[in-house]
């Protein structure tokens, strides 16, 4: 879960107190979750994040693994 919080802290720059309004996070959530993530308010955002926390954690582990592989090649 800490990876998820770190990811959202980094990607929500300028929207840290209201990440559901970040254009990047809105786009990312709609891409990842589909129509469930359209027009999120704070309540829907946190409900979706909580409901899909295991899936998000797997995604963030995959992203971290890709970064470490790229760093090893350089």
């Amino acid at each position: 879960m800490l990876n998820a919080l770190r990811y959202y802290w980094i990607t929500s720059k300028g929207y840290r107190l209201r990440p559901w309004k970040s254009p990047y996070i809105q786009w990312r959530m709609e891409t990842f979750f589909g129509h469930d993530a359209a027009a999120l308010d704070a309540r829907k955002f946190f409900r979706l994040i909580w409901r899909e926390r295991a899936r998000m954690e797997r995604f963030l582990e995959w992203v971290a693994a890709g970064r470490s592989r790229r760093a090893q090649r350089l």
Side-chain angles (χ1 to χ4, degrees):
M1 193 67 181
L2 290 176
N3 281 339
L5 291 174
R6 183 174 169 263
Y7 173 77
Y8 281 108
W9 182 259
I10 292 168
T11 60
S12 66
K13 185 175 181 178
Y15 296 91
R16 290 193 172 137
L17 297 178
R18 51 191 200 296
W20 55 92
K21 292 193 179 239
S22 164
Y24 175 76
I25 291 180
Q26 286 177 355
W27 170 77
R28 200 71 189 119
M29 299 285 282
E30 288 174 9
T31 302
F32 194 73
F33 295 115
H35 292 291
D36 288 344
L40 292 176
D41 59 7
R43 185 176 185 182
K44 290 178 185 177
F45 176 81
F46 288 113
R47 187 182 302 148
L48 182 63
I49 292 296
W50 183 254
R51 187 182 74 210
E52 300 290 343
R53 64 190 180 276
R55 195 168 146 197
M56 280 296 297
E57 190 66 34
R58 286 191 303 270
F59 167 72
L60 294 171
E61 287 170 3
W62 176 77
V63 168
R67 284 183 180 163
S68 66
R69 281 192 299 269
R70 268 185 266 137
Q72 289 174 350
R73 286 186 290 202
L74 296 176

